[in-house]
Amino acid sequence: MTVHESAYVDRDARVDDTITVGEGTKIWQFATVLQGTVLGKDCNVGACAVLTGAVFGDRCKISSGVVMGPGFQIGNDVFIGPNVVLANDLYPFTDKSYFDEEALRSGEKWCVIIEDGVGIGANTVILPGTRVRRGALVAAGSVCSGVVAENRIYRRSGTATIRESAALEKRMRYVRTDYSTAEGS
Amino acid sequence: MTVHESAYVDRDARVDDTITVGEGTKIWQFATVLQGTVLGKDCNVGACAVLTGAVFGDRCKISSGVVMGPGFQIGNDVFIGPNVVLANDLYPFTDKSYFDEEALRSGEKWCVIIEDGVGIGANTVILPGTRVRRGALVAAGSVCSGVVAENRIYRRSGTATIRESAALEKRMRYVRTDYSTAEGS
Amino acid sequence: MTVHESAYVDRDARVDDTITVGEGTKIWQFATVLQGTVLGKDCNVGACAVLTGAVFGDRCKISSGVVMGPGFQIGNDVFIGPNVVLANDLYPFTDKSYFDEEALRSGEKWCVIIEDGVGIGANTVILPGTRVRRGALVAAGSVCSGVVAENRIYRRSGTATIRESAALEKRMRYVRTDYSTAEGS
């Protein structure tokens, strides 16, 4: 285990001696980080996340409830929302006779590549074979496959839109309260 | 921390001294309740739920795996199904320069308001700006936004239906077994 | 509690004395297995799974983050992907006056039956009344109801396709890297 001295591993997290944890990275309570997982600098692993072999760059935010096995290469500054799953098996049966875990653990092959600066919305599933290019956004609740082009948004129902995420109005969205009394909240 | 003496906080739950927990409320194993979260009376927080700032009324049921940060106002008698996520950021990148966490933590603004008696089905995502009015039901697996009218059902794919939830036939749904032998279960 | 001597129950799992755990079955950290849950031989219960009354056959793989209450009969060799929820209440409000938990706990009725050899993709919800027949696959991110025929695939948006899962090309899916330099990964 190579855990940088400035990293934080909660007393109620489960880790093993095969992982790499960079400077300033935090692993919170009830999180699991095992089996060769690599976390760069200043990453954050939320409560109840389960990581068993993915490779992350720096400044990634892995939210609570994320599940990721081996076969995933994640760039820098990637946000992975709550309860997101990255899948390495398109036909998830208990029969794994065709499944080449060694190819995934050795880094010879990748099931999913997420490039720098990507955002993945909550409860999304990323299927094997997917590449999400720089700055793209995968909307919440999606089942995502194929190649998502740079700075684009991928929405659920399998279609990629042409709206550029660089043009998004990044602002807070609040509940309107001006009409609430009239309608009797 | 204001935890009512009749509340139950499991020895394997993670809480801090900023939260409020009402009479009879239960927080179960591997749950996380931090950063000013308010739970009213007789609420139930399931295993592995992660609450970091939401405000709940009384008799709410927060199921296992629910993830909710700050910015959420939840009424009384609200059911939140397993693995539901309430989101406070429509463009979830690691860049949070525009994100006004203080407005959410102070209660000045709300990203989502869920009124009394609402039900939220499993694995749903509620996007910021959403208001779900009394007695409405958000169906399982939805990505929900906008305003859901009183006693209506919101289904996935973004459309609200007109069927009134008050008219729902609330009964158990079982698997039919009368044909199973014939078809060779 | 009937836990076979060869079973593994992690020191950080939560179990009680009402469950049955077969030979060689493993229950991992931060998992919850309570209230009469039955696990056959050589099953695997992932981190943060929450099982409170389902009945499983042998060699089932219950992934991380799965949530299942009572009312579910699961066959042998069933794969249940990460963050999958099986639901026993179609109208999940806090009012449970019509809800017959006793019928579910006694095994008199079942809300969902999953037959042998089925695979359930990540983040799927199985609604009450559903039967998934042998060898069928429920695709990731689905909300599944009704009867899924043997060896078929059920995809999201509620429609069952006719492609037979037995004919699926079960092979690894990797990210193509041959074009990555040209496009500037």
Side-chain angles (χ1 to χ4, degrees):
Chain A
M1 181 158 63
T2 312
V3 176
H4 193 277
E5 60 180 4
S6 68
Y8 171 77
V9 178
D10 194 277
R11 66 179 189 273
D12 288 330
R14 176 66 59 94
V15 298
D16 68 16
D17 60 4
T18 68
I19 67 175
T20 302
V21 182
E23 189 182 339
T25 285
K26 294 180 173 66
I27 300 175
W28 293 99
Q29 66 279 356
F30 317 132
T32 296
V33 184
L34 301 172
Q35 295 175 264
T37 301
V38 176
L39 292 157
K41 298 179 185 176
D42 296 318
C43 292
N44 194 87
V45 180
C48 299
V50 182
L51 309 179
T52 54
V55 176
F56 296 87
D58 300 335
R59 298 173 302 280
C60 290
K61 165 103 160 91
I62 300 109
S63 303
S64 298
V66 167
V67 182
M68 293 171 63
F72 308 119
Q73 186 190 63
I74 314 297
N76 299 317
D77 303 293
V78 171
F79 182 96
I80 304 182
N83 293 343
V84 166
V85 177
L86 272 68
N88 54 22
D89 188 358
L90 196 59
Y91 300 107
F93 294 105
T94 56
D95 167 27
K96 297 290 184 194
S97 54
Y98 66 95
F99 191 81
D100 191 351
E101 185 165 333
E102 178 53 28
L104 301 185
R105 293 208 175 274
S106 67
E108 181 197 338
K109 296 282 192 179
W110 300 103
C111 283
V112 175
I113 296 177
I114 309 283
E115 297 182 3
D116 297 350
V118 164
I120 313 278
N123 284 20
T124 283
V125 181
I126 311 284
L127 296 177
T130 302
R131 183 173 198 129
V132 185
R133 293 197 170 276
R134 292 171 192 237
L137 179 70
V138 180
S142 301
V143 175
C144 181
S145 60
V147 177
V148 181
E150 228 171 284
N151 293 322
R152 292 298 196 278
I153 303 180
Y154 183 101
R155 294 190 188 284
R156 67 205 315 247
S157 71
T159 54
T161 73
I162 56 170
R163 183 143 65 113
E164 296 196 21
S165 63
L168 298 174
E169 191 187 5
K170 289 183 187 169
R171 59 172 177 83
M172 299 293 287
R173 259 66 176 180
Y174 300 116
V175 176
R176 289 177 55 198
T177 52
D178 48 342
Y179 60 89
S180 66
T181 308
E183 292 193 37
S185 126
Chain B
M1 182 159 63
T2 312
V3 176
H4 193 276
E5 60 180 5
S6 68
Y8 171 77
V9 178
D10 193 278
R11 65 178 189 274
D12 288 329
R14 176 65 58 93
V15 298
D16 68 15
D17 61 4
T18 67
I19 67 175
T20 303
V21 181
E23 188 180 340
T25 286
K26 295 179 173 65
I27 300 174
W28 294 99
Q29 68 278 356
F30 318 131
T32 296
V33 184
L34 301 171
Q35 295 174 266
T37 300
V38 176
L39 292 157
K41 298 179 186 176
D42 296 317
C43 292
N44 195 87
V45 180
C48 300
V50 182
L51 308 179
T52 54
V55 177
F56 296 86
D58 300 335
R59 297 172 301 280
C60 289
K61 166 105 160 91
I62 300 109
S63 303
S64 297
V66 167
V67 182
M68 294 172 60
F72 308 118
Q73 185 191 64
I74 314 298
N76 298 318
D77 303 294
V78 171
F79 182 95
I80 304 182
N83 295 342
V84 166
V85 177
L86 272 66
N88 54 23
D89 187 359
L90 196 57
Y91 299 107
F93 294 105
T94 56
D95 167 26
K96 297 290 184 194
S97 55
Y98 65 96
F99 191 81
D100 191 351
E101 185 165 333
E102 179 53 30
L104 301 185
R105 294 208 173 274
S106 66
E108 181 197 338
K109 296 281 191 178
W110 301 103
C111 283
V112 175
I113 296 177
I114 309 284
E115 297 183 3
D116 296 351
V118 164
I120 313 277
N123 285 20
T124 283
V125 181
I126 310 284
L127 295 177
T130 302
R131 183 173 199 127
V132 185
R133 292 198 171 275
R134 292 170 191 237
L137 178 69
V138 180
S142 301
V143 176
C144 181
S145 61
V147 177
V148 181
E150 228 170 285
N151 292 324
R152 293 299 196 277
I153 303 180
Y154 183 101
R155 296 192 188 281
R156 66 203 317 246
S157 71
T159 56
T161 73
I162 56 170
R163 184 144 64 114
E164 296 197 21
S165 63
L168 298 175
E169 190 188 5
K170 290 183 188 170
R171 59 171 176 84
M172 299 292 286
R173 257 70 175 179
Y174 301 116
V175 176
R176 289 177 54 201
T177 52
D178 47 343
Y179 60 90
S180 66
T181 307
E183 292 194 37
S185 128
Chain C
M1 182 160 61
T2 311
V3 175
H4 193 276
E5 59 180 4
S6 68
Y8 171 77
V9 178
D10 194 277
R11 66 179 189 273
D12 288 329
R14 177 65 60 92
V15 298
D16 67 16
D17 61 3
T18 68
I19 68 175
T20 302
V21 181
E23 189 182 338
T25 284
K26 295 179 172 66
I27 300 174
W28 294 99
Q29 67 279 356
F30 318 132
T32 296
V33 184
L34 301 171
Q35 296 175 265
T37 300
V38 176
L39 292 157
K41 297 179 187 177
D42 296 316
C43 292
N44 194 86
V45 180
C48 300
V50 182
L51 308 179
T52 54
V55 176
F56 296 86
D58 299 335
R59 298 173 301 280
C60 289
K61 166 104 160 89
I62 301 108
S63 303
S64 299
V66 167
V67 182
M68 294 171 61
F72 308 117
Q73 186 191 64
I74 315 297
N76 299 318
D77 304 293
V78 172
F79 181 96
I80 304 181
N83 294 342
V84 166
V85 177
L86 272 68
N88 54 23
D89 188 358
L90 196 59
Y91 299 107
F93 294 104
T94 56
D95 167 26
K96 297 291 184 193
S97 54
Y98 66 96
F99 191 82
D100 190 352
E101 185 166 332
E102 180 51 29
L104 301 186
R105 293 206 174 276
S106 67
E108 181 197 339
K109 296 281 192 180
W110 300 103
C111 284
V112 175
I113 296 177
I114 309 283
E115 297 182 4
D116 297 350
V118 164
I120 313 277
N123 284 20
T124 283
V125 181
I126 310 285
L127 296 176
T130 302
R131 182 174 199 128
V132 185
R133 293 198 170 273
R134 291 172 192 235
L137 178 69
V138 181
S142 301
V143 176
C144 181
S145 60
V147 177
V148 181
E150 227 172 284
N151 293 324
R152 293 297 198 279
I153 302 181
Y154 183 100
R155 295 191 189 283
R156 67 205 315 246
S157 72
T159 55
T161 72
I162 57 170
R163 183 144 66 114
E164 295 196 22
S165 63
L168 297 175
E169 190 188 5
K170 288 183 187 169
R171 60 172 176 84
M172 299 292 287
R173 259 66 176 181
Y174 300 116
V175 176
R176 289 177 55 199
T177 52
D178 48 343
Y179 60 89
S180 66
T181 307
E183 291 194 37
S185 129

